[in-house]
Amino acid sequence: MKVLLTGGAGYIGSHTCIELIKAGHTPIIADNFDNSCPEVLNRIKEITGQEVRLYELDVCDGEAVDRMFVENDFDAVIHFAGLKAVGESCAVPLRYYRNNLDSTLTLLEVMKKYGVQNFVFSSSATVYGVPERVPLVEGMPTGCTNPYGWTKLMNEQILTDASAADSGLSVVLLRYFNPIGAHESGRIGEDPNGIPNNLMPYITQVAAGKLKELGVFGNDYPTHDGTGVRDYIHVVDLAVAHVKAIDYAAAHKGTEIFNIGTGTGYSVLDIVNTFMRVNDLVIPYSIKPRRPGDIAECYADPSKAAEVLGWKAERGLEEMCRDSWNWQSHNKNGYK
Ligand code: NAD
Ligand code: UD1
């Protein structure tokens, strides 16, 4: 299939691009490099031996998106493009709503015009809000605590309504848990701007000597060691889920939601200890107060994805920690 990857130069999009090529598909990337670098295209070529066509554009720009659809007969769209920093979304909510909602509306309108019927969307476990219980199942109540999360939930609603009104449209909503790790080559990986907010890039930058020590946000949660528990998933496993999702979309109509996680929760200290052990490194850390808005535990019941998509995460925590460090240690300043 010829697959448009909006935001395909980003962390998850670039890994998905490689898995799509491996599976025999033809990905095309549209990105405005708001949070990524053109260098990633060279790295994808290095890994796959294939040149990926790039459109440097803003997905909210309807005319530019239209021109791209005139030039390409797409079979499917995977919509990764979006702003994703939770704290920033509270400071500049309108920018988040404009970018994350307008991009989806623009794509849906242009897809309708050109008869493109398969849409896969990057949603997030954040749509479950503060969970009543874990593991999380797709049918559980949703609700958000910040504008970023609301953009995900609103997009889910927009896409569900669009597919209900158009019997030809197929939508797959993938609720990602916590992607970490990098491609085994160490040539592509996560390259956050400024000081990372998320745990794994913070750890790797401490390991690289760029940051002094890790702050562990709270050790008084009701978890096995008091620190927050999450469902960390290797980004390559997550990428493979997209290959399954476009196959599923092409064969079905309507909207389906899938949790994309491993089903296992690890605490902050589990991650730190595993990272130190497999990489033979010391990560200095100290316990800090809880981070506002954090929850104690969040992990998936991924059985629907296993049964319906035939997808299951295969890479364990040790591999995630090794691959994260392999990327960081060989690319001290990311792609720059
Ligand atoms: P990323 O920032 O690395 O990639 C997003 C890409 O989209 C970037 O390359 C950016 O330049 C591009 N982009 C943003 N707005 C654009 C626009 N208007 N037009 C064109 N390009 C635009 O992020 P990621 O981690 O790869 O995440 C991909 C998607 O998955 C996002 O929608 C994110 O919200 C979602 N998601 C990510 C996580 C995570 O932990 N990384 C978890 C759940 C969901
Ligand atoms: C965050 C976002 C969530 C998003 C997800 C994946 C918030 C409140 N939530 O969730 O919307 O979907 O990232 O991108 O930002 N931790 C530390 N020290 C650190 C960083 C993190 O102890 O320096 C802890 C956190 O308290 C948490 C765990 O590590 O318990 C994971 O944190 P993080 O990587 O930020 O992911 P989430 O909190 O799951």
Side-chain angles (χ1 to χ4, degrees):
M1 282 191 259
K2 197 167 186 177
V3 190
L4 173 62
L5 309 186
T6 75
Y11 174 46
I12 302 166
S14 56
H15 287 83
T16 302
C17 187
I18 287 167
E19 296 310 310
L20 286 167
I21 291 170
K22 271 173 67 181
H25 298 293
T26 306
I28 291 176
I29 292 177
D31 205 300
N32 63 0
F33 299 116
D34 184 89
N35 195 37
S36 51
C37 286
E39 170 61 16
V40 77
L41 275 296
N42 299 329
R43 306 285 178 97
I44 291 171
K45 187 175 175 198
E46 227 179 80
I47 293 167
T48 63
Q50 282 194 39
E51 188 108 39
V52 174
R53 185 159 185 193
L54 165 77
Y55 285 85
E56 185 170 349
L57 54 77
D58 184 327
V59 189
C60 302
D61 178 346
E63 285 177 17
V65 173
D66 193 294
R67 281 196 297 277
M68 176 170 65
F69 274 69
V70 169
E71 289 174 19
N72 296 280
D73 214 356
F74 293 120
D75 299 295
V77 174
I78 309 181
H79 184 29
F80 298 102
L83 302 173
K84 63 165 186 177
V86 172
E88 188 185 57
S89 81
C90 299
V92 284
L94 299 187
R95 182 162 181 252
Y96 272 67
Y97 286 114
R98 172 66 71 193
N99 190 71
N100 292 3
L101 298 181
D102 221 358
S103 54
T104 303
L105 294 169
T106 303
L107 285 167
L108 283 171
E109 284 166 359
V110 178
M111 284 171 68
K112 176 106 182 144
K113 183 171 168 191
Y114 294 99
V116 180
Q117 297 189 315
N118 302 309
F119 197 111
V120 176
F121 178 66
S122 300
S123 191
S124 167
T126 194
V127 301
Y128 292 111
V130 181
E132 279 168 20
R133 59 198 159 85
V134 282
L136 288 152
V137 179
E138 287 84 350
M140 281 183 176
T142 51
C144 297
T145 53
N146 57 73
Y148 164 72
W150 281 113
T151 69
K152 291 296 171 195
L153 202 49
M154 288 177 183
N155 268 313
E156 287 197 359
Q157 190 65 48
I158 290 167
L159 287 158
T160 304
D161 292 344
S163 80
D166 177 351
S167 59
L169 186 61
S170 177
V171 170
V172 177
L173 305 173
L174 299 181
R175 291 180 177 164
Y176 310 158
F177 281 68
N178 289 56
I180 58 172
H183 190 262
E184 60 179 2
S185 64
R187 297 299 287 156
I188 62 167
E190 187 173 15
D191 183 17
N193 276 330
I195 296 177
N197 295 308
N198 296 121
L199 179 63
M200 185 53 87
Y202 205 102
I203 291 176
T204 58
Q205 293 199 13
V206 171
K210 293 176 77 172
L211 296 167
K212 253 179 123 167
E213 69 160 19
L214 171 74
V216 173
F217 298 146
N219 67 347
D220 56 353
Y221 285 107
T223 61
H224 65 270
D225 62 16
T227 65
V229 165
R230 298 290 183 274
D231 187 335
Y232 296 92
I233 173 170
H234 196 295
V235 67
V236 175
D237 279 330
L238 175 57
V240 172
H242 294 78
V243 181
K244 299 282 188 185
I246 57 162
D247 287 343
Y248 180 86
H252 298 82
K253 295 297 168 204
T255 297
E256 277 306 330
I257 303 177
F258 297 99
N259 283 340
I260 303 296
T262 64
T264 304
Y266 289 107
S267 73
V268 176
L269 292 181
D270 290 336
I271 302 293
V272 173
N273 290 328
T274 306
F275 187 91
M276 294 199 291
R277 179 167 50 77
V278 302
N279 295 313
D280 197 16
L281 286 162
V282 174
I283 303 294
Y285 67 84
S286 64
I287 307 298
K288 295 277 189 302
R290 290 182 180 192
R291 182 171 66 179
D294 270 1
I295 52 179
E297 271 192 305
C298 176
Y299 57 92
D301 174 344
S303 51
K304 184 178 173 191
E307 282 155 26
V308 181
L309 293 180
W311 171 88
K312 212 169 174 294
E314 286 174 356
R315 292 159 180 83
L317 186 58
E318 295 192 351
E319 204 169 341
M320 300 184 215
C321 290
R322 223 178 282 125
D323 289 340
S324 290
W325 178 237
N326 187 38
W327 154 252
Q328 173 71 61
S329 58
H330 289 98
N331 301 268
K332 279 236 151 50
N333 297 309
Y335 292 110
K336 284 153 216 109

